[in-house]
Amino acid sequence: MDLSLIIMQLLSGIALGAVLVITALGLTIVFGMLGVVNFAHGALFMIGAYAGLYLASLTGSFWWGLLLAPILIGAFGMLIEFVLIRRLYGRSIDDPLLLTFGLSYVLVEGVRIVFGSDGIPFPTPPQLIGVLDLGIGFFPRYRLFVIALVAVVLLALWLALEKTRIGLIVRAGARDPTIMQVLGVDIGRVWLAIFGLGVGLAALGGVLAGPMRSVNPEMGSLVLAEAFVVTVIGGLGSIVGAVVAGLMVGISISMVALFAPEMATIVMFALMAVVLLIRPQGLFGVRGRTA
Amino acid sequence: MPKSGSTPRITRRTALAGLSASAALLAMPRIGRAADETIRIGFPTPLTGPFAAEARDQVKCAELAVKLVNDKGGIGGRKVELLVRDDKLNAGEAATRTLELIEKDKVHAVVGALSSAVQLAVNEVTRARGVIYVSISQSDTINEAKDFSKYTFHEALNPHMTTAAVARQTLKKGMKVAHLAADYAYGHEMLRGFKRAQAAIGADNVGEILHPFGAADYSTFMPRLMSMRPDVLCISNFGRDQANAIKQAVDFGVKQQMKIVVPVILHNQRLAVGPDVFEGVVGGANYYWGLEAQSKSAAAFNAAFKAANGGAIPTDYGAYGYSGVGSLLAAMQTAGGTDTDKVVDALEKLQYDLTKGPQHYRKCDHQSVQSVLVLESKKKSAMAGDNDLFAILANDAGSDDMLRSCSELGHAT
């Protein structure tokens, strides 16, 4: 086996992992901080892709779509939290799960009604069309951009959580919301913002995936499954876990595709099964945590 | 996800017991009004899932075929009704729906299915109950003796026909060919067809990759496909898999190195990813609306479809819905009703021309002998309008020579 082929394969795995990381991150943050398993995450990913496409065609630029869609859909996520999910805090974990599960059907059918069930083309931004010669092979410019953007978003997120006052409140709120309220922090506002952030990340994943796939109402269902697998491998609620597991899954899929391509989809579930057997709480999860 | 409550698991035994009891109750009053009873055609198709766009076109065109017959007074004075069911692209679901159509809705025949695996499940049910089934899904196996029955008809093209026609237009002796195929019945049959055709032409196989059915990402297969350095890449998959695979191959610069060829080029998927991605891709087809320039039947079909659907044009898989139901209804017309043996006999003798020229069902395996189109996706600047998607490279007239021989398929000759 050629070394340059293996490096190229590794690179496609990282690009694949980058989108997985972004989507799994939103899911794991919302679970870790709010204890809500958001089954509408995949549908919101899809809505993000449609919003990005719509905004891009409205403004004539992919970049506006990329910037505005996550903000807009993030705000929509806050509305969902404020109107629906907020009422279910303190109840069994199944309640928000069922609510968001139902919501995902509403969102998918809503998009079918508005945009139709056919796929819609999402053009790659003109600056990123084509391939870059890496010396050992060609790689799509757009996928390199995705890797870079995800790295920037991760860095920004890490800085915000670790180095700012708001990040401190968020981390403390995840650990003990009652004490935070006693200390005079309006924890409801923190949860609202966190849910909005999680949904915004799903939407960002959707916009980023748009130019790589055809955009259609069902595109989120597969993504939801993948995001759950990544979250479970990394440990529910763990941000570092989501990043490590996302890249791990992406690279595993890619490497398996090289040797046994028909196994490429199964490998992530196999990986999840192995992790669950050896470390049931996930790679970076906390044992016995039920949120 | 439906729980067992909404879609009851019917075992053969309970189904037969329950349904035959209710059938016995209903049988008595039915005898007297058999003559004016409506003719019911069951139509299972995957309205949800990755082939939904193609399935919806099938339904529209099947409804058109029924409407045209009803407008002319039906068959022997009886109205025709189409009973559409969502098979969800799942063999078990399709078998359950088909069983319901036969036992509960008392359909006189079944037409439909889009996936090659699902049609075999439908065929299992219909042939066990002696109900006519006209399949409009691409498949080689349904023609083979083990899956065949006198009630089984195959109106669609089969992989052997399309791959041979496409290979003739695109492959030359000594060319290097690589394959990316979906890992299920359709992909396997198309791959087998291409390999047979390329061997006959004298092109070399440099490698093949099977990908999981319904995959959203194909990037991980691209470096290896590029490293095989083929002249032609054959991508044998269907629906959104086709759109995603071609789109990502183009992203990786595949088209600069090699030509992309598909067994069946899909109208809806070309629309879903746009002209730039599909530009220059060559594939087979049963139908393309642009055929109207050279075929009166196509012009008439287009006109009827436009009139019924607000000016829209019919698609490739839509045309299957029309010719599948249309040929069955024509045979019922000849047979003067729904008597199964008479309709089978009429179908075997039928010469029909509904969308693109003369067709007939071959006696030994009930495969529809028909023309095969080879299309090339047009460059954006060469398109005369939004619907001007493809250039017709070839229109091979239908003949028995296109098909595998009856004896090769295991039929007594």
Side-chain angles (χ1 to χ4, degrees):
Chain A
M1 191 68 54
D2 194 353
L3 184 68
S4 61
L5 179 58
I6 291 178
I7 296 171
M8 290 302 289
Q9 203 70 25
L10 198 66
L11 205 55
S12 359
I14 294 172
L16 192 61
V19 178
L20 287 176
V21 168
I22 279 292
T23 37
L25 208 56
L27 197 67
T28 209
I29 286 178
V30 167
F31 179 80
M33 313 275 177
L34 277 63
V36 171
V37 180
N38 183 8
F39 254 85
H41 201 70
L44 290 159
F45 172 94
M46 176 273 297
I47 298 266
Y50 274 92
L53 182 58
Y54 181 74
L55 290 166
S57 61
L58 208 65
T59 57
S61 157
F62 168 80
W63 307 105
W64 283 113
L66 183 66
L67 180 72
L68 295 179
I71 295 174
L72 204 71
I73 303 304
F76 176 60
M78 286 161 92
L79 187 73
I80 293 171
E81 198 272 353
F82 190 74
V83 178
L84 297 171
I85 294 173
R86 175 157 296 197
R87 292 156 211 284
L88 303 179
Y89 292 143
R91 292 220 230 161
S92 140
I93 192 167
D94 303 337
D95 290 15
L97 190 151
L98 287 172
L99 175 84
T100 50
F101 188 68
L103 188 66
S104 72
Y105 276 95
V106 174
L107 294 175
V108 170
E109 287 302 325
V111 168
R112 280 207 189 115
I113 291 167
V114 178
F115 293 96
S117 51
D118 295 346
I120 303 181
F122 194 142
T124 311
Q127 301 89 333
L128 296 171
I129 288 177
V131 288
L132 201 67
D133 189 352
L134 301 175
I136 47 163
F138 299 98
F139 202 77
R141 284 168 201 271
Y142 184 75
R143 283 185 193 247
L144 291 171
F145 161 75
V146 169
I147 297 175
L149 185 83
V150 169
V152 169
V153 169
L154 287 179
L155 187 69
L157 207 60
W158 179 79
L159 285 177
L161 275 177
E162 297 293 327
K163 304 287 174 196
T164 67
R165 201 181 124 75
I166 298 169
L168 188 69
I169 294 173
V170 167
R171 280 181 294 141
R175 217 173 267 178
D176 197 332
T178 321
I179 294 286
M180 290 307 288
Q181 272 166 313
V182 171
L183 290 174
V185 175
D186 184 354
I187 199 76
R189 271 169 57 195
V190 176
W191 284 344
L192 182 71
I194 291 297
F195 196 83
L197 174 68
V199 171
L201 285 171
L204 177 63
V207 187
L208 284 178
M212 296 192 273
R213 308 172 183 176
S214 80
V215 173
N216 60 65
E218 290 85 26
M219 68 187 292
S221 55
L222 195 66
V223 169
L224 180 70
E226 289 171 347
F228 266 115
V229 169
V230 169
T231 313
V232 169
I233 292 175
L236 284 167
S238 165
I239 292 176
V240 181
V243 175
V244 172
L247 289 174
M248 207 166 100
V249 168
I251 292 169
S252 307
I253 290 176
S254 185
M255 286 302 156
V256 168
L258 196 54
F259 303 102
E262 51 282 54
M263 302 293 166
T265 308
I266 301 169
V267 64
M268 66 175 175
F269 296 103
L271 201 63
M272 178 171 78
V274 171
V275 168
L276 284 178
L277 281 174
I278 298 169
R279 236 184 112 78
Q281 70 272 37
L283 295 176
F284 294 87
V286 183
R287 188 177 282 274
R289 171 170 192 158
T290 52
Chain B
M1 224 137 291
K3 284 272 156 57
S4 52
S6 56
T7 50
R9 285 268 165 77
I10 301 177
T11 65
R12 183 173 299 195
R13 192 170 299 223
T14 55
L16 287 179
L19 291 165
S20 58
S22 52
L25 275 173
L26 291 168
M28 297 284 254
R30 270 176 188 274
I31 294 166
R33 41 180 205 120
D36 52 38
E37 192 188 31
T38 48
I39 295 175
R40 289 176 299 277
I41 311 289
F43 198 82
T45 191
L47 287 169
T48 49
F51 304 166
E54 285 79 15
R56 223 193 27 233
D57 287 335
Q58 283 190 336
V59 172
K60 277 188 202 157
C61 289
E63 281 170 344
L64 177 63
V66 168
K67 180 181 173 290
L68 292 181
V69 167
N70 281 338
D71 286 352
K72 287 187 188 150
I75 292 170
R78 295 160 72 181
K79 287 276 171 203
V80 181
E81 189 188 352
L82 191 74
L83 285 79
V84 179
R85 297 289 182 270
D86 186 3
D87 68 31
K88 299 186 179 157
L89 206 62
N90 176 304
E93 182 80 19
T96 311
R97 293 282 91 83
T98 307
L99 191 65
E100 272 176 16
L101 282 166
I102 295 171
E103 305 280 4
K104 192 166 135 261
D105 298 311
K106 304 269 178 257
V107 293
H108 297 95
V110 175
V111 182
L114 214 158
S115 153
S116 43
V118 171
Q119 72 169 347
L120 295 175
V122 173
N123 186 44
E124 280 296 310
V125 176
T126 50
R127 74 169 177 174
R129 283 158 188 78
V131 174
I132 294 172
Y133 172 44
V134 181
S135 165
I136 49 174
S137 154
Q138 294 228 14
S139 168
D140 276 332
T141 49
I142 203 162
N143 297 125
E144 289 167 12
K146 68 178 169 56
D147 279 299
F148 179 76
S149 76
K150 74 178 258 205
Y151 309 107
T152 307
F153 289 81
H154 191 237
E155 214 284 325
L157 294 169
N158 64 37
H160 180 75
M161 297 161 87
T162 49
T163 51
V166 171
R168 244 195 324 276
Q169 294 299 322
T170 53
L171 303 184
K172 287 190 186 71
K173 195 174 163 57
M175 270 187 170
K176 289 185 286 182
V177 185
H179 297 273
L180 176 64
D183 192 12
Y184 75 113
Y186 180 89
H188 294 172
E189 290 183 11
M190 290 298 181
L191 180 60
R192 192 178 61 185
F194 267 132
K195 283 166 79 174
R196 184 176 161 133
Q198 81 193 28
I201 290 168
D204 302 322
N205 204 44
V206 293
E208 51 199 71
I209 292 180
L210 291 175
H211 74 74
F213 169 52
D217 198 279
Y218 296 83
S219 65
T220 56
F221 309 121
M222 294 307 158
R224 201 171 132 210
L225 285 170
M226 308 270 283
S227 74
M228 292 172 187
R229 307 218 160 265
D231 301 306
V232 174
L233 171 63
C234 301
I235 300 181
S236 299
N237 54 16
F238 191 84
R240 281 174 191 154
D241 288 6
Q242 178 175 82
N244 282 331
I246 294 179
K247 176 157 191 170
Q248 290 167 31
V250 171
D251 285 348
F252 269 80
V254 159
K255 275 206 295 207
Q256 278 93 308
Q257 278 187 26
M258 61 196 92
K259 185 160 191 69
I260 298 178
V261 158
V262 295
V264 176
I265 194 162
L266 295 166
H267 190 114
N268 286 321
Q269 301 310 326
R270 153 61 188 80
L271 291 177
V273 288
D276 298 334
V277 171
F278 262 56
E279 181 186 329
V281 174
V282 173
N286 59 312
Y287 186 76
Y288 172 57
W289 73 273
L291 197 61
E292 66 182 14
Q294 38 181 294
S295 160
K296 276 186 189 150
S297 319
F301 170 49
N302 287 343
F305 187 87
K306 279 182 186 167
N309 293 283
I313 49 152
T315 64
D316 38 17
Y317 268 70
Y320 279 142
Y322 186 77
S323 51
V325 172
S327 62
L328 174 70
L329 295 181
M332 284 180 168
Q333 204 72 270
T334 315
T338 53
D339 181 87
T340 301
D341 287 334
K342 284 186 190 159
V343 177
V344 167
D345 192 49
L347 274 166
E348 286 182 347
K349 293 191 179 110
L350 185 70
Q351 299 286 333
Y352 64 101
D353 178 358
L354 293 168
T355 60
K356 57 177 179 177
Q359 291 181 238
H360 69 273
Y361 289 104
R362 184 164 71 164
K363 175 99 175 141
C364 73
D365 65 346
H366 292 172
Q367 167 63 39
S368 178
V369 180
Q370 59 186 297
S371 60
V372 183
L373 298 176
V374 180
L375 307 175
E376 179 169 28
S377 195
K378 283 190 177 179
K379 191 192 255 210
K380 195 174 184 179
S381 56
M383 288 167 60
D386 283 349
N387 288 328
D388 186 19
L389 309 179
F390 304 121
I392 299 176
L393 295 186
N395 181 5
D396 297 348
S399 87
D400 280 16
D401 302 340
M402 284 180 173
L403 307 175
R404 290 186 292 168
S405 69
C406 295
S407 54
E408 190 191 338
L409 295 168
H411 298 283
T413 44

